[in-house]
Amino acid sequence: MALPATLHNFAVQLADVDRDVYQDLELRIARHPSETAEFMVTRLLAYCLEYQDGITFSEGGVSSTDEPAVLVRDLTGRLTAWIEVGAPDAERLHRGSKLADRAAVYTHRDPAKVLAQLAGKRIHRAEAIPLYSFDRPFIDAAVAAVDRRNTATLSITERSLYLDLNGTNLTSSVTEHTLV
């Protein structure tokens, strides 16, 4: 018998000063048994940092082979943003970049290793795909603070991220890397 997903609720007050986005979010994230807590936290951060109308988590979660962890569709249903989390393979990123107007990767892993894994591979518009990483101690501390019901205040200014998660205050830079 397969293990069920664990549901995590997040009440997030988002203040993205860099993009002039201010929003209160009520998110329910189903954490698949094979999904690490680091991946789930990075998925949450990617959602918030990419927040716009039409954004959603993929329906299949981490087990989906047809969709990224986070995606954005316009009012017609057309895919406008393909947001990968972790260390996606080159074929998947290539496909997503062709399907959507824009693609990005958010990783909780060592960005040098992710970049090395993708180096020299065929990826559509690789030069236009940013890879964003966070400070590793930040991810570890955020994972330690996560509960089943969570309250968070997330502020982003000049690509610095300030997170209050269940009373734990954390800070990280959001470092952008290029694939090529």
Side-chain angles (χ1 to χ4, degrees):
M1 181 176 192
L3 294 172
T6 302
L7 191 60
H8 294 271
N9 293 300
F10 290 87
V12 180
Q13 290 182 329
L14 174 63
D16 189 336
V17 177
D18 293 347
R19 298 185 308 129
D20 199 28
V21 173
Y22 305 92
Q23 193 73 36
D24 287 337
L25 307 171
E26 292 291 333
L27 303 173
R28 294 174 54 143
I29 300 177
R31 181 176 165 209
H32 190 272
S34 67
E35 181 180 8
T36 66
E38 292 83 1
F39 188 96
M40 183 189 69
V41 166
T42 305
R43 207 164 40 111
L44 169 68
L45 294 171
Y47 184 98
C48 292
L49 290 167
E50 294 286 335
Y51 184 80
Q52 60 185 290
D53 287 340
I55 194 166
T56 187
F57 293 110
S58 71
E59 288 194 25
V62 296
S63 60
S64 176
T65 57
D66 297 334
E67 294 181 332
V70 178
L71 57 109
V72 180
R73 294 188 186 279
D74 66 13
L75 293 174
T76 67
R78 188 176 62 83
L79 189 63
T80 60
W82 181 282
I83 313 301
E84 289 286 357
V85 172
D89 66 27
E91 288 178 34
R92 186 175 169 96
L93 203 49
H94 174 76
R95 181 174 171 272
S97 181
K98 288 179 82 172
L99 289 173
D101 297 341
R102 174 178 176 284
V105 178
Y106 286 82
T107 191
H108 56 286
R109 300 178 180 220
D110 179 351
K113 290 181 181 177
V114 176
L115 291 170
Q117 168 191 319
L118 298 172
K121 304 281 176 66
R122 184 174 151 221
I123 301 172
H124 182 70
R125 297 184 317 207
E127 70 285 348
I129 301 173
L131 170 78
Y132 298 106
S133 65
F134 307 97
D135 300 333
R136 185 60 204 206
F138 168 83
I139 294 292
D140 293 339
V143 164
V146 168
D147 204 345
R148 296 284 297 275
R149 296 194 179 280
N150 302 276
T151 57
T153 302
L154 180 63
S155 301
I156 303 100
T157 183
E158 296 180 6
R159 297 311 280 174
S160 290
L161 192 142
Y162 304 93
L163 174 65
D164 179 313
L165 180 59
N166 298 326
T168 302
N169 292 303
L170 307 165
T171 303
S172 175
S173 59
V174 181
T175 306
E176 183 175 341
H177 311 270
T178 55
L179 297 188
V180 291

